[in-house]
Amino acid sequence: MPGTDPASQGDDGQAGSALMVSVARSDWEKLNAEAALRAQLYQVGQEWIAQGIAVAGPADNGEGAR
């Protein structure tokens, strides 16, 4: 794809970040499948909370339970 060539040997490092990157189709499909699954799980959780089957816990800060 145009603009995705590696930096040349004489690159001075002053260029900004790339505006476009390439992602392998298999990685893209995996990301989409994971996002869809998480959305479904979130919806089920919200339904359970609304039905009184579950209660919302504290927000996870990404570090998991300790």
Side-chain angles (χ1 to χ4, degrees):
M1 294 177 65
T4 59
D5 293 335
S8 67
Q9 293 278 342
D11 185 7
D12 64 3
Q14 299 300 315
S17 63
L19 297 177
M20 189 171 92
V21 297
S22 296
V23 178
R25 180 180 296 272
S26 62
D27 290 341
W28 184 252
E29 290 171 350
K30 187 187 300 183
L31 287 169
N32 283 332
E34 289 292 326
L37 176 60
R38 289 177 183 264
Q40 290 172 346
L41 292 173
Y42 176 82
Q43 184 62 39
V44 168
Q46 293 302 306
E47 290 172 5
W48 286 358
I49 291 169
Q51 295 171 11
I53 297 171
V55 295
D60 183 3
N61 63 2
E63 297 179 10
R66 292 186 176 216

